[in-house]
Amino acid sequence: MDEIKHISIEEFLKLDRSSLTLLDLREPDQVLLGAVDGAVNIPFSRVGKELEKLPKDKPVYVFCQEGSLSTEITELLQDWDYDATNLDGGWRTWQKWLQEAEPQKLDAKGLKCPGPIVKTADTLRTMSNGQRLVIEATKDAFASDIAVWCQRTGNKLLKLEVGPDLIEALVEKAEAPAPVL
């Protein structure tokens, strides 16, 4: 058996995620507390029954809560001829990186409604859940628009500062709320 491949969160985030499969081994109750965009969730408790659902035509990057269970599954996938890599540190490392990462910045100064919200939505669409965005705008309506938009989309408005010449919002990307039936 070859050595198990590992990758750091910093290296992983530089990859084109459309060209890979991201496998989340956490249990459903853990995923409810935070999901990774595009990840396939096959809980460790059901791996034996569902692992064959993974496509073999793309590399598979595996993570769990802390990194130990994903190491085992990465080794198993490699034995089954998958191009598999373990994401070092798992979900906890991912979360820590997100919390410590410098927020992305968006300049929406001078844009009229709905420009700042459209630009915010477009930028957040390219980001992962948990990443943060600082938006700077100058039109008064932005303050109420961003609050309502966050509430409707499920994104978190962490900070809103309204000054005489500048409005600054800090938004964390989050899952959209489930529709109420």
Side-chain angles (χ1 to χ4, degrees), residues 128-139:
S128 295
N129 287 335
Q131 284 187 293
R132 294 171 295 146
L133 177 66
V134 173
I135 307 109
E136 292 183 340
T138 50
K139 301 297 180 187

Side-chain angles (χ1 to χ4, degrees), residues 1-8 12 15 19-25 47 51 54-63 69-88:
M1 172 72 221
D2 294 330
E3 187 174 319
I4 296 171
K5 293 192 292 185
H6 294 267
I7 191 169
S8 70
F12 175 77
L15 299 176
S19 66
L20 57 88
T21 300
L22 182 58
L23 174 60
D24 182 349
L25 297 172
V47 161
L51 211 48
L54 287 178
K56 282 193 171 184
D57 62 338
K58 293 181 179 181
V60 179
Y61 289 79
V62 186
F63 73 97
L69 297 175
S70 58
T71 300
E72 290 178 40
I73 298 305
T74 300
E75 182 176 22
L76 178 68
L77 288 170
Q78 286 177 338
D79 288 344
W80 290 352
D81 295 324
Y82 282 87
D83 178 5
T85 304
N86 184 57
L87 181 57
D88 287 336

Side-chain angles (χ1 to χ4, degrees), residues 116-165:
I117 296 297
V118 170
K119 233 178 149 175
T120 298
D122 288 346
T123 303
L124 284 173
R125 206 174 343 275
T126 67
M127 298 170 66
S128 295
N129 287 335
Q131 284 187 293
R132 294 171 295 146
L133 177 66
V134 173
I135 307 109
E136 292 183 340
T138 50
K139 301 297 180 187
D140 291 339
F142 177 71
S144 61
D145 290 350
I146 193 67
V148 170
W149 181 83
C150 285
Q151 186 177 27
R152 287 185 180 160
T153 61
N155 293 294
K156 297 176 187 172
L157 181 59
L158 301 177
K159 182 173 86 172
L160 182 63
E161 292 181 2
V162 180
D165 300 319

